[in-house]
Amino acid sequence: MITPAAIIAVASSAALVILGLALILTVWRVVAGPTLPDRILALDMLTGIAIGFIAVIAVKTGFSLYIDIAISLGLVGFLATVAFARFVLSRGNIKSPASASPTKAGVKRRHAGAKKR
């Protein structure tokens, strides 16, 4: 008969393998992300994966102190994500030189109802 300890050992080993694969894919997204929001989302995902690792290790070893560490990491990760989101929002008003239209460069556009002189 299978004991509960054996089930926990197999499940925690499988969870560590799955979390390791998720970690590799997420690091790839941070490095190769095409845009800054993609990279920020991947960094937030890394925080979630780290919390998962800590939780699985806590279950595997039986130390409840790891749960407190995971909770504090979740709080810090949330604050970092909010800070990055505010950074992206503050940067959103700046247009790149290639996409700037002539109206933004100082040339005034005529209103639809204005007459030609």
Side-chain angles (χ1 to χ4, degrees), residues 7-115:
I7 293 173
I8 290 176
V10 170
S12 62
S13 297
L16 287 175
V17 168
I18 293 169
L19 284 169
L21 180 64
L23 180 77
I24 291 169
L25 292 173
T26 306
V27 168
W28 176 76
R29 176 52 64 192
V30 169
V31 173
T35 63
L36 184 62
D38 287 333
R39 289 185 170 108
I40 292 171
L41 186 63
L43 286 173
D44 189 37
M45 188 67 194
L46 280 177
T47 304
I49 292 170
I51 291 169
F53 269 120
I54 292 170
V56 170
I57 296 297
V59 168
K60 198 169 184 140
T61 61
F63 291 127
S64 62
L65 178 66
Y66 290 142
I67 301 299
D68 296 335
I69 295 169
I71 290 170
S72 61
L73 179 61
L75 293 172
V76 171
F78 171 74
L79 292 176
T81 302
V82 169
F84 280 135
R86 288 189 60 123
F87 172 72
V88 168
L89 284 176
S90 69
R91 234 182 97 168
N93 295 334
I94 300 172
K95 300 276 185 187
S96 64
S99 66
S101 64
T103 58
K104 301 285 182 186
V107 178
K108 294 186 178 181
R109 189 175 11 165
R110 207 186 326 232
H111 295 292
K115 294 181 182 178

